[in-house]
Amino acid sequence: MKTLDDYMQISYRMEIVEDKQEGGFVVSFPELPGCITCGETIESAIANALDAKKAWLEAALEQGIEIQQPDNLKEYSGQFKLRIPRSLHKSLAEHSKKEGISMNQYCVYLLSRNDAMHMK
């Protein structure tokens, strides 16, 4: 039987969507039904998401609810190379610096937001 720490180490897919009506960002874990939170910034939304994930897993363990394993992602490395125009590279670097996050994290946010829009 897995412990809370075991489940916390599992990489569940996190979806981040900008809330254009209320402001801020909404974060959910699709494989953990009902595990959703928000934050005013990307950083606060992610921090809140980790707290929500922990609380969700604790409740599921206490109540004996079956915890779904993440989709099998072994065939995906989580990395890919992308060549972009220098002007876009500059723009992404400047925007991520303005947000106070790494360019990698900023690009993940942009890709996640766009991907979520196509899922609707």
Side-chain angles (χ1 to χ4, degrees):
M1 177 180 260
K2 291 184 181 175
T3 66
L4 175 61
D5 288 336
D6 294 332
Y7 282 110
M8 286 299 292
Q9 296 303 314
I10 296 174
S11 295
Y12 286 94
R13 185 168 48 100
M14 181 187 297
E15 289 186 356
I16 304 170
V17 179
E18 184 176 11
D19 186 340
K20 293 186 180 194
Q21 291 180 336
E22 300 291 324
F25 301 88
V26 177
V27 182
S28 64
F29 293 91
E31 295 147 335
L32 305 176
C35 186
I36 186 168
T37 190
C38 61
E40 291 184 20
T41 64
I42 294 173
E43 297 85 1
S44 66
I46 291 172
N48 292 344
L50 297 176
D51 290 341
K53 176 184 173 185
K54 183 177 182 181
W56 191 97
L57 291 168
E58 285 175 331
L61 287 169
E62 286 174 11
Q63 297 175 18
I65 296 172
E66 183 179 348
I67 300 172
Q68 181 179 340
Q69 295 296 306
D71 293 335
N72 187 353
L73 300 176
K74 289 185 182 195
E75 62 190 78
Y76 302 99
S77 69
Q79 298 180 0
F80 68 96
K81 292 182 181 181
L82 180 67
R83 296 199 183 276
I84 59 175
R86 289 178 188 219
S87 59
L88 178 57
H89 188 175
K90 177 183 180 220
S91 178
L92 291 170
E94 289 173 350
H95 284 111
S96 62
K97 185 175 182 178
K98 186 177 180 180
E99 291 293 328
I101 58 175
S102 70
M103 191 169 77
N104 186 62
Q105 190 176 16
Y106 184 67
C107 289
V108 168
Y109 154 70
L110 292 174
L111 289 168
S112 297
R113 181 179 74 175
N114 194 45
D115 188 55
M117 293 173 83
H118 288 289
M119 302 270 300
K120 293 180 180 178

